[in-house]
Amino acid sequence: CPDASDEVFSACYNVTCSGFRCNYGGCIDSSLKCDDINDCWDSSDENKFLCANETTIVELFAQLQGSCSDEYIMQCPQSGKCLKHINVCDGIRDCEHGEDEDQSLCGGDECPFDSFRCENGACIAKSSLCNLNVDCYDGSDEIPAICRKIHMQDSDSEYGEGPMVMGAVWQSYGCPLDPTPGMQVAHYFSKIAYRSDGEVPHQSTVLVTCDDGYKVFGANINKCVETKWQHEWIPCTRYCEPSSYLGSIVYATECIEKFAIVDCTEEQHSLGTQLLISCASGYESDSADNLVGHHVCD
């Protein structure tokens, strides 16, 4: 198809395959697997774990394990957190940046019987497919095109005529995340991180943290209620540290944020804050203009 709609997960996920099954569900001849040519458009036929020989696979798993003890299979690159096999490729992001749910890792595994394989290769219980809650890290268990086919039934359906299943509409109970730079969102109690552009399940309380150089200017706790956030979403924004000019006896400083004067000695200043520098009392500029500096937090 010109729009590639014949080669997407929602169309191919349930196709019976006698050869090699690509992550998105497409089927290629088994002889094309691990031939150093990407025959699956998602490159899952050349997955490094799938194609490794006996020597290479030991090296790959040793790298994956890092400095963790033998009871663990993986060490998260950023935090150093150690994960057991049950926590890897299970649909839930445990590493800060989702390395434990990455397609390059999960695509080399087969899912057990009576389970659903997420698009990234993770495995979840088949009963979790289209249950109105996002269980796959990539949200592929609640894709409308899949769930409409499964639950497009009359009013005698087990879901009845509820507000979430109406005609050709499918919407899971969850709140979408609007990806903004520098923002990390995790479950408030378990500290498990969510994908930045993913969906948070109904009744989940989340905690927002910001990367270095970013700050939340407001409440950083929110809760998903059905499909809406309980409070207005406050993103992480860039900020600037106080200027070194503040401690000088030569200069006088004034800070302006959104046309209002603010304290220049505050620990952080939001994006757009202006710093005006003039000569202190007893000093004068070489030029006629006493304003000798104009800086903007950018």
Side-chain angles (χ1 to χ4, degrees):
C1 293
D3 62 356
S5 56
D6 58 315
E7 296 295 329
V8 295
F9 184 73
S10 58
C12 306
Y13 81 99
N14 207 25
V15 172
T16 301
C17 186
S18 58
F20 174 78
R21 185 184 186 88
C22 307
N23 267 10
Y24 73 92
C27 195
I28 64 172
D29 192 278
S30 296
S31 62
L32 300 175
K33 181 181 73 172
C34 302
D35 62 352
D36 294 324
I37 299 173
N38 293 329
D39 299 286
C40 296
W41 69 257
D42 61 3
S43 306
S44 52
D45 59 312
E46 299 300 321
N47 181 283
K48 64 181 180 180
F49 288 94
L50 184 72
C51 300
N53 57 36
E54 289 185 10
T55 303
T56 310
I57 195 68
V58 172
E59 294 174 354
L60 287 173
F61 278 121
Q63 294 171 9
L64 194 67
Q65 189 179 28
S67 59
C68 297
S69 61
D70 289 342
E71 64 179 306
Y72 299 100
I73 190 177
M74 180 179 180
Q75 184 173 36
C76 297
Q78 301 295 322
S79 64
K81 180 181 179 181
C82 296
L83 303 178
K84 294 185 177 181
H85 193 282
I86 195 172
N87 300 120
V88 178
C89 300
D90 62 344
I92 300 171
R93 186 171 80 166
D94 295 285
C95 293
E96 184 177 355
H97 296 294
E99 292 90 348
D100 58 310
E101 299 297 319
D102 191 86
Q103 182 171 303
S104 63
L105 174 62
C106 304
D109 254 347
E110 290 294 326
C111 288
F113 176 73
D114 205 31
S115 61
F116 174 76
R117 185 184 178 97
C118 307
E119 187 170 5
N120 70 328
C123 307
I124 64 171
K126 196 170 184 178
S127 59
S128 298
L129 173 63
C130 298
N131 66 347
L132 300 178
N133 284 304
V134 175
D135 298 285
C136 291
Y137 164 61
D138 55 13
S140 53
D141 59 311
E142 297 295 328
I143 293 176
I146 294 176
C147 298
R148 283 198 300 264
K149 291 178 183 177
I150 293 176
H151 293 292
M152 188 59 67
Q153 300 173 9
D154 57 22
S155 58
D156 293 330
S157 162
E158 62 174 308
Y159 284 88
E161 295 182 322
M164 310 306 287
V165 185
M166 301 185 299
V169 177
W170 175 270
Q171 186 178 7
S172 58
Y173 280 116
C175 300
L177 288 172
D178 183 14
T180 58
M183 183 178 74
Q184 303 290 336
V185 181
H187 191 272
Y188 183 79
F189 299 103
S190 68
K191 299 300 184 282
I192 292 174
Y194 294 103
R195 179 173 166 166
S196 61
D197 60 347
E199 190 171 293
V200 174
H202 166 56
Q203 293 289 13
S204 297
T205 302
V206 300
L207 176 70
V208 176
T209 56
C210 301
D211 294 340
D212 290 342
Y214 291 86
K215 179 180 174 68
V216 173
F217 288 89
N220 65 337
I221 298 174
N222 213 335
K223 185 175 183 179
C224 175
V225 181
E226 293 189 351
T227 60
K228 295 182 179 180
W229 290 104
Q230 195 171 50
H231 308 293
E232 182 181 355
W233 196 255
I234 300 175
C236 292
T237 55
R238 276 290 195 184
Y239 72 90
C240 296
E241 299 285 356
S243 171
S244 58
Y245 288 104
L246 295 177
S248 172
I249 62 170
V250 177
Y251 300 108
T253 56
E254 183 178 64
C255 291
I256 301 174
E257 179 186 356
K258 297 178 181 178
F259 305 105
I261 296 177
V262 294
D263 184 0
C264 287
T265 62
E266 289 180 355
E267 290 187 4
Q268 294 103 11
H269 295 284
S270 60
L271 200 68
T273 300
Q274 300 181 63
L275 171 65
L276 305 179
I277 303 174
S278 57
C279 295
S281 178
Y283 292 85
E284 63 179 20
S285 171
D286 291 338
S287 66
D289 190 355
N290 195 47
L291 181 65
V292 294
H294 182 197
H295 302 266
V296 179
C297 177
D298 183 4

